[in-house]
Structure formats: C-alpha cells, structure tokens
Amino acid sequence: MHIPEYSYPLYRPPSEAKSLIFQITEGCSYNKCTFCGMYVDKKFRIKPFEEFKYEVDGIPEYTKKHIKRIFLADGDAVIYPSEGLLKILDYLQEKFPNLESIRSYAGPQALLEKSFYDWRAIFSRKLDMLYFGLESGNNEVLKIMNKGMDADEVKEKIRGLQKIGFDFSVMVILGAGGVKYTSNHAVDSARWISEVNPKYLSLLTLFLRRGKNYFQYIDTPRFRHLIDEAAEFIENIRGEGIIFRSNHVSNLFSLKGTLDRDKDRLLEYLSNVRSHCAGKGILESYPDFYQENI
Ligand code: SF4
C-alpha cells in the first residue's frame, strides 16, 4: 500500500475537507495574478497518467469502496489536456465503485480553452462541480489583478457549462478594487453573479501574498470600505437560492446565508458591525494584513 505523495503547498476549498485528493497537476499553469502567492514557488507540471495510476493503485480496495468524493488539484487541474483528463476520469470511475462526484478548481484559461464537446465528455464522467475564482466582475479590477480574462467572455462560457449540468462555486474578493474602484467592483461583481446565479458564492478578502505594491494607485481600503463594499455587493445581487459564505480565514467578519432569502439579515448584520465599530477608530483603521501596503 502507498498513499498519494503530495507536493506542497497543497490547497483545496474548505468544502472538500472530506474528499480524497489527487494532484494531477502541480502548481498553476497561469501563475501570473498580481495578488496570488499560492504557487509562486512551485513549477507547473502535468502529472503523467502512469504516475497518477500508481497512486490510485496503491490505495487498498476496501478504502476505495468508501470514497464518494474526489478533488483534483492543484490550481487549475482541468487545464490537463482533454484526452488525458478523460483517461484519468475513466480510471477513477473504474477504481472507485461508489464515487458520486469529482471536483476541481478551474481557471479561466481552462474554461475557455476546452470546447463544449470536451466539457460534455468530462461532465459525463462525474466531474460535475468547478470552483472558479472570478475575483471581480469589473474588467478594470481584473487588469490590476492581471487575471488574464474578460469577465463577460468567461460568464458566457460558464452559462453554457451550467446548461450541460455543471455546478459552480464562485469566489469574489473583497477589497480587490482598492478604494478607487470599490463601488464599480461591488456592483459589477454583483451583476455578474446575478446573471450566472452560481450554486455557491464565497466572498473572500484580498490577502496580498505577492504584489506588495498592489494598492499603489488605487488606495488601500480601510475597515469601513470593506464593510461598505460587502454591503453594496450583497445589496445588488439579484440571484436566487445562491448559498453564500464569507467565513474564510481572510475575512474580517463572518457571513453566511442563502441569497436572496437572507439578504436583509446579512445587510442588517453588516450595518450592526458598522455601528458597533463607529467612534472607536476601527472604521478608519486598516486590517492588520494591509499594514505593509499603506
Ligand atoms: S489566482 Fe488562481 S489563476 Fe491566479 S495565479 Fe493564483 S492559482 Fe493561478
């Protein structure tokens, strides 16, 4: 018996805590976002099928029977060339008899590059949910982030993939537009989310692990900007049944609910946070992790 040998750092969404992870790629094929330090020290690599197969084969049969969910890592594992990815998915079906769902992060390049024909074949092999870092629905902000995508182009592709049956968990990053673009970022991201209506939505807070001068031309947001931006974002979402979470380690306040149903409660909570912090100097202060960017 041998277990998968991971190359670290290894990231997965919090909701994949119970999934078995196979790293079919290592690092991020793009690795150029100005804010992201997840894979800066990791050279991108596509794992050959034989190496992946060796890891699967090393798992005892009785363990395989209990696996229901698999997460494919690293950063955008679905960038794996389609033919090889289908072979991997076929092998997973063959070896894990009770497998219900396979998930992965998906970068914009992989989403756009693969044809709908390929995505249909992928979906039919139980890869049915993708985690996508939109970060912002505003193209100016995306340029600052060097995300390498156009928000509308990706939106259309994702809507096509939803018609195939894919579920999406979308991440938006609070503070990504600094002070200058705070409102444009909130409103355009809310519009994008409303039009896509993903199953899950996470609101994280920008946490700079790479570009320390990120806020140079757009001003570093203070605590009050982040509260107001979260409120403007939630206020403008028109989607229905979106499971919303803002309780990542990067978040300064914790929010969870279902949009639109819990919108008023979430806005009231943010308003209470604002009132509670008023007059204590907190609203005008910077989050600790922005201190070196002021
Ligand atoms: S944000 Fe995603 S696409 Fe950008 S460098 Fe980080 S892992 Fe890669």
Side-chain angles (χ1 to χ4, degrees):
M1 172 192 156
H2 47 87
I3 55 168
E5 281 191 28
Y6 297 125
S7 99
Y8 294 95
L10 169 63
Y11 298 95
R12 53 128 180 98
S15 46
E16 298 299 327
K18 292 183 180 164
S19 299
L20 175 62
I21 300 177
F22 286 106
Q23 253 172 331
I24 63 167
T25 60
E26 289 174 8
C28 166
S29 65
Y30 181 66
N31 211 9
K32 286 191 263 191
C33 299
T34 49
F35 64 97
C36 172
M38 287 165 82
Y39 303 109
V40 272
D41 297 323
K42 225 171 174 184
K43 193 167 182 298
F44 178 70
R45 181 171 92 97
I46 291 179
K47 191 173 279 184
F49 178 79
E50 288 308 318
E51 218 177 302
F52 155 79
K53 180 177 180 296
Y54 176 77
E55 291 176 1
V56 173
D57 293 349
I59 298 171
E61 295 308 314
Y62 70 85
T63 305
K64 285 194 185 115
K65 281 187 196 145
H66 290 95
I67 301 296
K68 294 194 171 158
R69 262 173 48 180
I70 286 176
F71 182 75
L72 300 179
D74 270 338
D76 56 350
V78 286
I79 198 80
Y80 206 104
S82 296
E83 197 184 335
L85 180 58
L86 294 176
K87 195 170 167 189
I88 283 174
L89 297 175
D90 281 339
Y91 201 63
L92 292 175
Q93 321 294 298
E94 185 188 327
K95 296 294 172 183
F96 295 90
N98 296 311
L99 186 59
E100 290 172 1
S101 176
I102 305 170
R103 286 105 185 266
S104 169
Y105 286 124
Q109 292 75 20
L111 289 174
L112 295 171
E113 186 186 289
K114 288 194 187 333
S115 65
F116 283 117
Y117 179 83
D118 284 344
W119 282 115
R120 258 184 229 104
I122 290 167
F123 182 78
S124 71
R125 288 160 172 84
K126 294 189 182 164
L127 201 165
D128 53 9
M129 185 163 132
L130 296 166
Y131 292 86
F132 172 64
L134 169 67
E135 334 300 10
S136 177
N138 177 278
N139 281 328
E140 284 302 316
V141 176
L142 289 174
K143 269 187 217 144
I144 295 166
M145 304 185 105
N146 196 29
K147 192 71 194 175
M149 72 178 195
D150 175 273
D152 288 332
E153 188 185 7
V154 182
K155 179 179 70 191
E156 289 317 312
K157 186 72 183 234
I158 287 181
R159 286 165 61 148
L161 295 178
Q162 286 173 313
K163 284 186 192 142
I164 292 175
F166 281 97
D167 283 329
F168 277 85
S169 178
V170 176
M171 289 154 276
V172 170
I173 300 188
L174 203 57
V179 177
K180 185 173 179 184
Y181 293 112
T182 179
S183 198
N184 304 45
H185 171 49
V187 171
D188 289 347
S189 300
R191 186 183 305 124
W192 194 101
I193 293 294
S194 307
E195 290 172 15
V196 168
N197 211 86
K199 185 164 186 180
Y200 301 98
L201 169 64
S202 302
L203 184 62
L204 286 64
T205 306
L206 188 66
F207 190 85
L208 296 169
R209 285 188 284 187
R210 191 182 239 175
K212 299 295 181 192
N213 59 355
Y214 182 91
F215 291 122
Q216 198 173 5
Y217 302 110
I218 54 175
D219 290 342
T220 309
R222 294 165 193 261
F223 197 49
R224 76 179 153 88
H225 295 117
L226 297 174
I227 299 174
D228 294 347
E229 188 175 291
E232 192 170 13
F233 174 60
I234 292 169
E235 171 96 61
N236 280 285
I237 293 176
R238 299 284 173 263
E240 276 180 18
I242 301 171
I243 298 168
F244 174 72
R245 296 284 180 269
S246 184
N247 52 6
H248 183 255
V249 62
S250 67
N251 289 118
L252 298 160
F253 34 81
S254 176
L255 302 166
K256 63 192 219 182
T258 302
L259 299 172
D260 261 1
R261 193 191 68 195
D262 298 321
K263 187 189 266 193
D264 290 346
R265 177 178 60 76
L266 295 169
L267 291 173
E268 192 184 340
Y269 177 83
L270 286 169
S271 168
N272 288 341
V273 170
R274 213 183 194 291
S275 312
H276 183 73
C277 296
K280 297 177 187 157
I282 300 173
L283 292 178
E284 294 308 319
S285 66
Y286 296 94
D288 286 350
F289 48 81
Y290 288 163
Q291 289 303 328
E292 57 184 302
N293 306 109
I294 302 165

Short mmCIF file of all heavy atoms in Angstrom, two decimals, residues 229-286:
data_model
loop_
_atom_site.label_atom_id
_atom_site.label_comp_id
_atom_site.label_asym_id
_atom_site.label_seq_id
_atom_site.Cartn_x
_atom_site.Cartn_y
_atom_site.Cartn_z
N GLU A 229 -18.34 47.85 1.08
CA GLU A 229 -18.25 47.13 -0.20
C GLU A 229 -19.01 45.80 -0.12
O GLU A 229 -19.72 45.43 -1.06
CB GLU A 229 -16.78 46.88 -0.54
CG GLU A 229 -16.57 46.31 -1.93
CD GLU A 229 -15.09 46.19 -2.25
OE1 GLU A 229 -14.42 47.23 -2.42
OE2 GLU A 229 -14.59 45.05 -2.32
N ALA A 230 -18.87 45.12 1.00
CA ALA A 230 -19.60 43.84 1.18
C ALA A 230 -21.10 44.11 1.12
O ALA A 230 -21.86 43.37 0.47
CB ALA A 230 -19.22 43.20 2.51
N ALA A 231 -21.53 45.21 1.75
CA ALA A 231 -22.96 45.53 1.76
C ALA A 231 -23.44 45.89 0.35
O ALA A 231 -24.51 45.42 -0.08
CB ALA A 231 -23.22 46.69 2.72
N GLU A 232 -22.65 46.68 -0.37
CA GLU A 232 -23.06 47.07 -1.72
C GLU A 232 -23.12 45.85 -2.65
O GLU A 232 -24.01 45.73 -3.50
CB GLU A 232 -22.09 48.13 -2.28
CG GLU A 232 -22.62 48.80 -3.54
CD GLU A 232 -21.81 50.01 -3.97
OE1 GLU A 232 -20.69 50.23 -3.46
OE2 GLU A 232 -22.31 50.75 -4.85
N PHE A 233 -22.20 44.95 -2.45
CA PHE A 233 -22.16 43.73 -3.26
C PHE A 233 -23.42 42.89 -3.00
O PHE A 233 -24.16 42.53 -3.92
CB PHE A 233 -20.89 42.95 -2.89
CG PHE A 233 -20.77 41.60 -3.52
CD1 PHE A 233 -20.75 41.44 -4.90
CD2 PHE A 233 -20.66 40.45 -2.74
CE1 PHE A 233 -20.63 40.18 -5.49
CE2 PHE A 233 -20.53 39.19 -3.31
CZ PHE A 233 -20.52 39.06 -4.68
N ILE A 234 -23.69 42.62 -1.73
CA ILE A 234 -24.85 41.77 -1.37
C ILE A 234 -26.15 42.44 -1.81
O ILE A 234 -27.04 41.81 -2.38
CB ILE A 234 -24.84 41.48 0.14
CG1 ILE A 234 -23.65 40.59 0.48
CG2 ILE A 234 -26.15 40.82 0.59
CD1 ILE A 234 -23.37 40.44 1.96
N GLU A 235 -26.24 43.73 -1.54
CA GLU A 235 -27.45 44.51 -1.89
C GLU A 235 -27.81 44.36 -3.37
O GLU A 235 -28.97 44.26 -3.74
CB GLU A 235 -27.14 45.98 -1.57
CG GLU A 235 -28.17 46.97 -2.04
CD GLU A 235 -29.13 47.31 -0.94
OE1 GLU A 235 -28.66 47.84 0.07
OE2 GLU A 235 -30.34 47.04 -1.11
N ASN A 236 -26.78 44.33 -4.22
CA ASN A 236 -27.02 44.35 -5.67
C ASN A 236 -27.19 42.97 -6.30
O ASN A 236 -27.44 42.88 -7.50
CB ASN A 236 -25.88 45.11 -6.37
CG ASN A 236 -26.08 46.61 -6.27
OD1 ASN A 236 -26.92 47.19 -6.95
ND2 ASN A 236 -25.36 47.24 -5.35
N ILE A 237 -27.04 41.92 -5.52
CA ILE A 237 -27.21 40.58 -6.11
C ILE A 237 -28.70 40.27 -6.26
O ILE A 237 -29.48 40.43 -5.33
CB ILE A 237 -26.51 39.50 -5.24
CG1 ILE A 237 -25.00 39.72 -5.29
CG2 ILE A 237 -26.86 38.10 -5.72
CD1 ILE A 237 -24.21 38.78 -4.40
N ARG A 238 -29.05 39.83 -7.44
CA ARG A 238 -30.46 39.52 -7.73
C ARG A 238 -30.70 38.02 -7.90
O ARG A 238 -31.77 37.62 -8.31
CB ARG A 238 -30.91 40.23 -9.01
CG ARG A 238 -30.83 41.75 -8.94
CD ARG A 238 -31.97 42.34 -8.10
NE ARG A 238 -31.78 43.76 -7.89
CZ ARG A 238 -31.24 44.31 -6.81
NH1 ARG A 238 -30.79 43.53 -5.82
NH2 ARG A 238 -31.09 45.61 -6.70
N GLY A 239 -29.68 37.22 -7.64
CA GLY A 239 -29.82 35.78 -7.85
C GLY A 239 -30.76 35.14 -6.85
O GLY A 239 -31.21 35.77 -5.90
N GLU A 240 -31.04 33.89 -7.08
CA GLU A 240 -31.95 33.17 -6.18
C GLU A 240 -31.35 31.85 -5.76
O GLU A 240 -30.81 31.11 -6.58
CB GLU A 240 -33.27 32.88 -6.90
CG GLU A 240 -34.21 34.05 -6.84
CD GLU A 240 -35.52 33.74 -7.55
OE1 GLU A 240 -35.81 32.55 -7.78
OE2 GLU A 240 -36.21 34.70 -7.88
N GLY A 241 -31.45 31.54 -4.47
CA GLY A 241 -31.01 30.24 -3.96
C GLY A 241 -29.50 30.06 -3.93
O GLY A 241 -29.02 28.93 -3.81
N ILE A 242 -28.75 31.16 -4.03
CA ILE A 242 -27.28 31.05 -4.01
C ILE A 242 -26.82 30.85 -2.56
O ILE A 242 -27.15 31.66 -1.68
CB ILE A 242 -26.63 32.34 -4.57
CG1 ILE A 242 -27.09 32.59 -6.01
CG2 ILE A 242 -25.11 32.25 -4.49
CD1 ILE A 242 -26.67 33.95 -6.57
N ILE A 243 -26.08 29.80 -2.34
CA ILE A 243 -25.57 29.54 -0.98
C ILE A 243 -24.33 30.41 -0.79
O ILE A 243 -23.32 30.22 -1.47
CB ILE A 243 -25.28 28.05 -0.79
CG1 ILE A 243 -26.59 27.27 -0.95
CG2 ILE A 243 -24.66 27.78 0.59
CD1 ILE A 243 -26.44 25.79 -1.09
N PHE A 244 -24.45 31.36 0.11
CA PHE A 244 -23.43 32.40 0.26
C PHE A 244 -22.63 32.21 1.54
O PHE A 244 -23.19 31.98 2.62
CB PHE A 244 -24.12 33.77 0.29
CG PHE A 244 -23.20 34.92 0.57
CD1 PHE A 244 -22.29 35.35 -0.38
CD2 PHE A 244 -23.24 35.57 1.79
CE1 PHE A 244 -21.43 36.40 -0.11
CE2 PHE A 244 -22.39 36.63 2.07
CZ PHE A 244 -21.48 37.05 1.11
N ARG A 245 -21.29 32.30 1.40
CA ARG A 245 -20.42 32.20 2.57
C ARG A 245 -19.35 33.28 2.51
O ARG A 245 -18.77 33.54 1.46
CB ARG A 245 -19.69 30.84 2.59
CG ARG A 245 -20.63 29.64 2.73
CD ARG A 245 -21.14 29.48 4.14
NE ARG A 245 -22.03 28.35 4.29
CZ ARG A 245 -23.36 28.38 4.15
NH1 ARG A 245 -23.96 29.51 3.80
NH2 ARG A 245 -24.08 27.31 4.33
N SER A 246 -19.10 33.88 3.65
CA SER A 246 -17.98 34.80 3.77
C SER A 246 -17.34 34.53 5.12
O SER A 246 -17.39 35.35 6.03
CB SER A 246 -18.48 36.25 3.67
OG SER A 246 -17.40 37.15 3.67
N ASN A 247 -16.82 33.33 5.25
CA ASN A 247 -16.25 32.93 6.54
C ASN A 247 -14.88 32.27 6.35
O ASN A 247 -14.49 31.39 7.08
CB ASN A 247 -17.21 32.00 7.30
CG ASN A 247 -17.67 30.83 6.45
OD1 ASN A 247 -17.19 30.64 5.35
ND2 ASN A 247 -18.60 30.05 6.97
N HIS A 248 -14.18 32.76 5.33
CA HIS A 248 -12.83 32.28 5.04
C HIS A 248 -11.87 32.89 6.06
O HIS A 248 -12.19 33.90 6.70
CB HIS A 248 -12.48 32.76 3.61
CG HIS A 248 -11.15 32.32 3.10
ND1 HIS A 248 -10.08 33.17 3.01
CD2 HIS A 248 -10.72 31.12 2.64
CE1 HIS A 248 -9.04 32.52 2.52
NE2 HIS A 248 -9.40 31.28 2.27
N VAL A 249 -10.71 32.30 6.21
CA VAL A 249 -9.72 32.79 7.18
C VAL A 249 -9.33 34.25 6.89
O VAL A 249 -8.95 35.01 7.79
CB VAL A 249 -8.48 31.85 7.19
CG1 VAL A 249 -7.79 31.85 5.82
CG2 VAL A 249 -7.51 32.19 8.27
N SER A 250 -9.48 34.69 5.64
CA SER A 250 -9.12 36.07 5.27
C SER A 250 -10.19 37.08 5.67
O SER A 250 -9.94 38.29 5.63
CB SER A 250 -8.92 36.15 3.75
OG SER A 250 -10.15 35.94 3.08
N ASN A 251 -11.38 36.62 6.04
CA ASN A 251 -12.48 37.56 6.28
C ASN A 251 -12.43 38.20 7.66
O ASN A 251 -12.08 37.56 8.65
CB ASN A 251 -13.83 36.87 6.06
CG ASN A 251 -14.09 36.57 4.60
OD1 ASN A 251 -14.22 35.43 4.20
ND2 ASN A 251 -14.12 37.62 3.79
N LEU A 252 -12.82 39.47 7.70
CA LEU A 252 -12.80 40.22 8.96
C LEU A 252 -14.11 40.07 9.71
O LEU A 252 -14.20 40.37 10.89
CB LEU A 252 -12.54 41.70 8.66
CG LEU A 252 -11.19 41.95 7.98
CD1 LEU A 252 -11.20 43.29 7.27
CD2 LEU A 252 -10.07 41.88 8.99
N PHE A 253 -15.15 39.67 9.01
CA PHE A 253 -16.43 39.38 9.65
C PHE A 253 -17.02 38.16 8.94
O PHE A 253 -16.72 37.90 7.79
CB PHE A 253 -17.39 40.58 9.58
CG PHE A 253 -17.25 41.38 8.32
CD1 PHE A 253 -17.87 40.97 7.14
CD2 PHE A 253 -16.50 42.54 8.29
CE1 PHE A 253 -17.73 41.70 5.98
CE2 PHE A 253 -16.36 43.28 7.12
CZ PHE A 253 -16.98 42.85 5.97
N SER A 254 -17.81 37.43 9.67
CA SER A 254 -18.31 36.17 9.14
C SER A 254 -19.78 36.28 8.72
O SER A 254 -20.62 36.72 9.50
CB SER A 254 -18.13 35.11 10.23
OG SER A 254 -18.68 33.90 9.81
N LEU A 255 -20.07 35.88 7.49
CA LEU A 255 -21.44 35.96 6.98
C LEU A 255 -21.81 34.64 6.34
O LEU A 255 -21.00 34.05 5.63
CB LEU A 255 -21.54 37.03 5.89
CG LEU A 255 -21.16 38.46 6.23
CD1 LEU A 255 -21.00 39.26 4.94
CD2 LEU A 255 -22.26 39.08 7.08
N LYS A 256 -23.02 34.19 6.55
CA LYS A 256 -23.49 33.06 5.77
C LYS A 256 -25.00 33.05 5.66
O LYS A 256 -25.71 33.49 6.59
CB LYS A 256 -22.96 31.72 6.29
CG LYS A 256 -23.35 31.29 7.64
CD LYS A 256 -22.45 30.11 8.00
CE LYS A 256 -23.21 29.05 8.74
NZ LYS A 256 -22.39 27.93 9.15
N GLY A 257 -25.48 32.60 4.52
CA GLY A 257 -26.92 32.59 4.30
C GLY A 257 -27.22 32.17 2.88
O GLY A 257 -26.33 31.72 2.15
N THR A 258 -28.48 32.30 2.51
CA THR A 258 -28.89 31.98 1.14
C THR A 258 -29.45 33.25 0.51
O THR A 258 -30.28 33.93 1.12
CB THR A 258 -29.98 30.88 1.16
OG1 THR A 258 -29.44 29.73 1.82
CG2 THR A 258 -30.39 30.48 -0.24
N LEU A 259 -28.95 33.56 -0.67
CA LEU A 259 -29.43 34.77 -1.37
C LEU A 259 -30.53 34.37 -2.36
O LEU A 259 -30.41 33.34 -2.98
CB LEU A 259 -28.26 35.42 -2.12
CG LEU A 259 -27.09 35.87 -1.21
CD1 LEU A 259 -25.91 36.31 -2.06
CD2 LEU A 259 -27.54 37.00 -0.30
N ASP A 260 -31.56 35.07 -2.44
CA ASP A 260 -31.95 36.33 -1.87
C ASP A 260 -32.59 36.24 -0.47
O ASP A 260 -32.68 37.24 0.22
CB ASP A 260 -32.98 36.98 -2.80
CG ASP A 260 -32.38 38.02 -3.70
OD1 ASP A 260 -31.17 38.23 -3.64
OD2 ASP A 260 -33.12 38.64 -4.45
N ARG A 261 -32.95 35.07 -0.06
CA ARG A 261 -33.75 34.90 1.15
C ARG A 261 -33.18 35.63 2.37
O ARG A 261 -33.92 36.28 3.12
CB ARG A 261 -33.87 33.39 1.45
CG ARG A 261 -34.91 33.03 2.47
CD ARG A 261 -34.77 31.59 2.89
NE ARG A 261 -33.54 31.38 3.64
CZ ARG A 261 -33.01 30.18 3.88
NH1 ARG A 261 -33.58 29.09 3.42
NH2 ARG A 261 -31.90 30.07 4.58
N ASP A 262 -31.87 35.54 2.57
CA ASP A 262 -31.27 36.10 3.79
C ASP A 262 -30.62 37.47 3.58
O ASP A 262 -29.84 37.91 4.43
CB ASP A 262 -30.22 35.11 4.34
CG ASP A 262 -30.85 33.79 4.72
OD1 ASP A 262 -31.97 33.81 5.27
OD2 ASP A 262 -30.24 32.74 4.48
N LYS A 263 -30.91 38.08 2.45
CA LYS A 263 -30.23 39.33 2.13
C LYS A 263 -30.42 40.39 3.22
O LYS A 263 -29.46 41.01 3.69
CB LYS A 263 -30.75 39.86 0.79
CG LYS A 263 -29.99 41.06 0.31
CD LYS A 263 -30.66 41.68 -0.90
CE LYS A 263 -30.10 41.17 -2.18
NZ LYS A 263 -30.50 41.96 -3.34
N ASP A 264 -31.65 40.58 3.67
CA ASP A 264 -31.92 41.63 4.67
C ASP A 264 -31.17 41.36 5.96
O ASP A 264 -30.61 42.26 6.58
CB ASP A 264 -33.43 41.74 4.96
CG ASP A 264 -34.17 42.31 3.77
OD1 ASP A 264 -33.48 42.85 2.87
OD2 ASP A 264 -35.40 42.20 3.71
N ARG A 265 -31.15 40.09 6.36
CA ARG A 265 -30.44 39.74 7.61
C ARG A 265 -28.94 40.01 7.48
O ARG A 265 -28.31 40.54 8.39
CB ARG A 265 -30.69 38.26 7.95
CG ARG A 265 -29.94 37.79 9.18
CD ARG A 265 -30.24 36.33 9.53
NE ARG A 265 -29.92 35.36 8.50
CZ ARG A 265 -28.68 34.94 8.22
NH1 ARG A 265 -27.65 35.43 8.88
NH2 ARG A 265 -28.49 34.04 7.28
N LEU A 266 -28.37 39.65 6.33
CA LEU A 266 -26.93 39.87 6.12
C LEU A 266 -26.60 41.37 6.11
O LEU A 266 -25.61 41.80 6.70
CB LEU A 266 -26.48 39.23 4.80
CG LEU A 266 -26.59 37.70 4.73
CD1 LEU A 266 -26.40 37.19 3.30
CD2 LEU A 266 -25.59 37.04 5.65
N LEU A 267 -27.47 42.15 5.47
CA LEU A 267 -27.23 43.61 5.41
C LEU A 267 -27.38 44.23 6.80
O LEU A 267 -26.63 45.13 7.17
CB LEU A 267 -28.19 44.26 4.42
CG LEU A 267 -27.92 43.91 2.94
CD1 LEU A 267 -29.01 44.46 2.04
CD2 LEU A 267 -26.55 44.42 2.50
N GLU A 268 -28.33 43.71 7.56
CA GLU A 268 -28.53 44.23 8.91
C GLU A 268 -27.30 43.90 9.78
O GLU A 268 -26.84 44.73 10.57
CB GLU A 268 -29.79 43.59 9.52
CG GLU A 268 -30.21 44.28 10.80
CD GLU A 268 -31.40 43.57 11.44
OE1 GLU A 268 -32.10 42.81 10.75
OE2 GLU A 268 -31.59 43.78 12.65
N TYR A 269 -26.77 42.71 9.58
CA TYR A 269 -25.58 42.32 10.34
C TYR A 269 -24.42 43.29 10.03
O TYR A 269 -23.73 43.77 10.94
CB TYR A 269 -25.19 40.88 9.99
CG TYR A 269 -23.93 40.41 10.68
CD1 TYR A 269 -23.96 39.93 11.98
CD2 TYR A 269 -22.70 40.50 10.03
CE1 TYR A 269 -22.79 39.52 12.62
CE2 TYR A 269 -21.52 40.10 10.66
CZ TYR A 269 -21.59 39.61 11.95
OH TYR A 269 -20.43 39.22 12.58
N LEU A 270 -24.23 43.57 8.73
CA LEU A 270 -23.14 44.48 8.35
C LEU A 270 -23.36 45.88 8.91
O LEU A 270 -22.42 46.55 9.35
CB LEU A 270 -23.01 44.53 6.82
CG LEU A 270 -22.39 43.28 6.18
CD1 LEU A 270 -22.55 43.31 4.68
CD2 LEU A 270 -20.91 43.16 6.56
N SER A 271 -24.61 46.30 8.91
CA SER A 271 -24.94 47.61 9.47
C SER A 271 -24.63 47.63 10.97
O SER A 271 -24.10 48.61 11.50
CB SER A 271 -26.42 47.88 9.16
OG SER A 271 -26.86 48.96 9.88
N ASN A 272 -24.91 46.53 11.65
CA ASN A 272 -24.62 46.44 13.09
C ASN A 272 -23.11 46.45 13.35
O ASN A 272 -22.65 47.06 14.30
CB ASN A 272 -25.22 45.17 13.69
CG ASN A 272 -26.73 45.27 13.77
OD1 ASN A 272 -27.28 46.37 13.72
ND2 ASN A 272 -27.40 44.13 13.87
N VAL A 273 -22.36 45.76 12.47
CA VAL A 273 -20.89 45.77 12.62
C VAL A 273 -20.39 47.21 12.51
O VAL A 273 -19.58 47.68 13.31
CB VAL A 273 -20.22 44.88 11.53
CG1 VAL A 273 -18.71 45.06 11.53
CG2 VAL A 273 -20.55 43.42 11.75
N ARG A 274 -20.93 47.91 11.52
CA ARG A 274 -20.51 49.31 11.29
C ARG A 274 -20.83 50.17 12.52
O ARG A 274 -19.99 50.93 13.00
CB ARG A 274 -21.25 49.86 10.06
CG ARG A 274 -20.40 50.85 9.29
CD ARG A 274 -21.19 51.42 8.13
NE ARG A 274 -20.36 52.12 7.18
CZ ARG A 274 -19.75 53.26 7.40
NH1 ARG A 274 -19.85 53.85 8.58
NH2 ARG A 274 -19.00 53.84 6.45
N SER A 275 -22.07 50.03 13.03
CA SER A 275 -22.47 50.84 14.19
C SER A 275 -21.62 50.49 15.40
O SER A 275 -21.20 51.37 16.15
CB SER A 275 -23.93 50.58 14.58
OG SER A 275 -24.72 50.63 13.47
N HIS A 276 -21.36 49.20 15.57
CA HIS A 276 -20.60 48.76 16.73
C HIS A 276 -19.17 49.32 16.71
O HIS A 276 -18.59 49.65 17.74
CB HIS A 276 -20.56 47.22 16.73
CG HIS A 276 -19.86 46.65 17.92
ND1 HIS A 276 -20.44 46.66 19.17
CD2 HIS A 276 -18.64 46.08 18.05
CE1 HIS A 276 -19.59 46.11 20.03
NE2 HIS A 276 -18.50 45.75 19.37
N CYS A 277 -18.62 49.44 15.49
CA CYS A 277 -17.23 49.90 15.37
C CYS A 277 -17.12 51.42 15.35
O CYS A 277 -16.03 51.97 15.51
CB CYS A 277 -16.60 49.36 14.09
SG CYS A 277 -16.48 47.58 14.07
N ALA A 278 -18.23 52.09 15.12
CA ALA A 278 -18.20 53.56 14.98
C ALA A 278 -17.68 54.23 16.25
O ALA A 278 -17.98 53.78 17.37
CB ALA A 278 -19.60 54.06 14.65
N GLY A 279 -16.91 55.30 16.07
CA GLY A 279 -16.43 56.10 17.20
C GLY A 279 -15.30 55.47 17.98
O GLY A 279 -14.86 56.00 18.99
N LYS A 280 -14.81 54.31 17.52
CA LYS A 280 -13.71 53.66 18.26
C LYS A 280 -12.42 53.68 17.44
O LYS A 280 -11.46 53.02 17.81
CB LYS A 280 -14.10 52.22 18.57
CG LYS A 280 -15.31 52.11 19.47
CD LYS A 280 -15.69 50.66 19.68
CE LYS A 280 -17.00 50.58 20.44
NZ LYS A 280 -17.70 49.34 20.24
N GLY A 281 -12.47 54.36 16.31
CA GLY A 281 -11.26 54.43 15.47
C GLY A 281 -11.09 53.20 14.59
O GLY A 281 -10.18 53.14 13.77
N ILE A 282 -11.99 52.22 14.76
CA ILE A 282 -11.81 50.96 14.00
C ILE A 282 -12.14 51.18 12.52
O ILE A 282 -11.43 50.69 11.63
CB ILE A 282 -12.71 49.84 14.57
CG1 ILE A 282 -12.35 49.59 16.02
CG2 ILE A 282 -12.59 48.56 13.76
CD1 ILE A 282 -13.27 48.64 16.76
N LEU A 283 -13.19 51.92 12.26
CA LEU A 283 -13.63 52.08 10.86
C LEU A 283 -12.55 52.73 10.00
O LEU A 283 -12.45 52.44 8.81
CB LEU A 283 -14.91 52.91 10.79
CG LEU A 283 -16.17 52.25 11.37
CD1 LEU A 283 -17.36 53.20 11.29
CD2 LEU A 283 -16.49 50.96 10.62
N GLU A 284 -11.76 53.62 10.60
CA GLU A 284 -10.72 54.30 9.83
C GLU A 284 -9.38 53.56 9.87
O GLU A 284 -8.40 54.02 9.30
CB GLU A 284 -10.53 55.73 10.36
CG GLU A 284 -11.72 56.65 10.14
CD GLU A 284 -12.21 56.67 8.69
OE1 GLU A 284 -11.36 56.69 7.77
OE2 GLU A 284 -13.44 56.63 8.47
N SER A 285 -9.37 52.42 10.52
CA SER A 285 -8.09 51.68 10.60
C SER A 285 -7.99 50.70 9.42
O SER A 285 -8.97 50.40 8.75
CB SER A 285 -8.00 50.93 11.92
OG SER A 285 -8.99 49.93 11.96
N TYR A 286 -6.78 50.22 9.22
CA TYR A 286 -6.53 49.25 8.15
C TYR A 286 -6.45 47.85 8.76
O TYR A 286 -5.91 47.68 9.87
CB TYR A 286 -5.18 49.54 7.47
CG TYR A 286 -5.14 50.86 6.75
CD1 TYR A 286 -4.64 52.00 7.38
CD2 TYR A 286 -5.60 50.98 5.44
CE1 TYR A 286 -4.60 53.22 6.72
CE2 TYR A 286 -5.56 52.20 4.77
CZ TYR A 286 -5.07 53.31 5.42
OH TYR A 286 -5.03 54.51 4.77
#
